[in-house]
Amino acid sequence: MQLYTFFRSSAAFRLRIALNHKGLDYEPIPVSLPRMEHREPDYAAVNPQRLVPALVDGPHTLIQSVAAMEYLEETYPEPPLLPAGAIDRAYVRAITQIIACDIHPLNNVRVLIYLKDQLGHEEATRNRWYAHWIAEGFTALEGLLQGHGKAGRFCHGDAVSMADVCLVPQVFNAQRFDCPTDPYPTIMRIFDACQKLEAFAKAAPAAQPDAA
Ligand SMILES: N[C@@H](CCC(=O)N[C@@H](CS)C(=O)NCC(=O)O)C(=O)O
């Protein structure tokens, strides 16, 4: 497999974790966001959305990290990233979607660039925007993790799931933008537990070849 990736892309980080978790080898193909390589026609031919990541498995190119992760789960089911029961799977997918659908898109690079270039907002205002959507999403996540009684060492019990795969990169983003994390003890406890796992450590931004 080949993964079009950028070391600091949290959506690519999700797929790096998922691939490592399942013990699947892949060749990283770096696409630099600061150099706008993702906007080039060559990359648009890979992913018409011109967003990172894209995953190539033989003749298939998969875009959207969560869709690609679901593909990996169906095609390479062991070790799993979803629990067994329908209710538990819905809980894991809800956490996944809070992050992938309701937090991450609001703070994406193109949104921050639009706030700056088209709407003329200063860096301080853009950082307030960023921190606001992290706080809104993390407050909901913390409430869900505490309230449902399903969290264990990880978001769902003691087994890594898609929820953890999405949570960890989002916490990295929050830390990079100096967003407060103290109000979210459960999120941070799970984040720390995940960091101890090789699949997560190997996928971390600083460990990527294009981080240098
Ligand atoms: N929902 C997409 C999001 C992909 C995405 O937004 N990737 C970011 C990096 S984390 C990106 O390529 N941003 C470039 C831009 O906003 O121009 C996914 O999960 O794959």
Side-chain angles (χ1 to χ4, degrees), residues 6 8-15 31 33 36 38-39 43 47 49-54 62-68 100-101 104-105 107-113 166 173:
F6 177 61
R8 235 191 263 125
S9 156
S10 55
F13 190 177
R14 292 174 198 152
L15 280 186
V31 180
L33 299 189
M36 291 286 167
H38 61 300
R39 310 289 300 178
Y43 186 65
N47 181 350
Q49 256 198 310
R50 301 192 295 180
L51 297 171
V52 170
L62 297 120
I63 63 165
Q64 285 290 340
S65 61
V66 175
C101 304
H104 175 269
N107 287 344
N108 203 352
V109 176
R110 60 185 171 170
V111 172
L112 301 178
I113 289 176
C166 289
N173 282 355

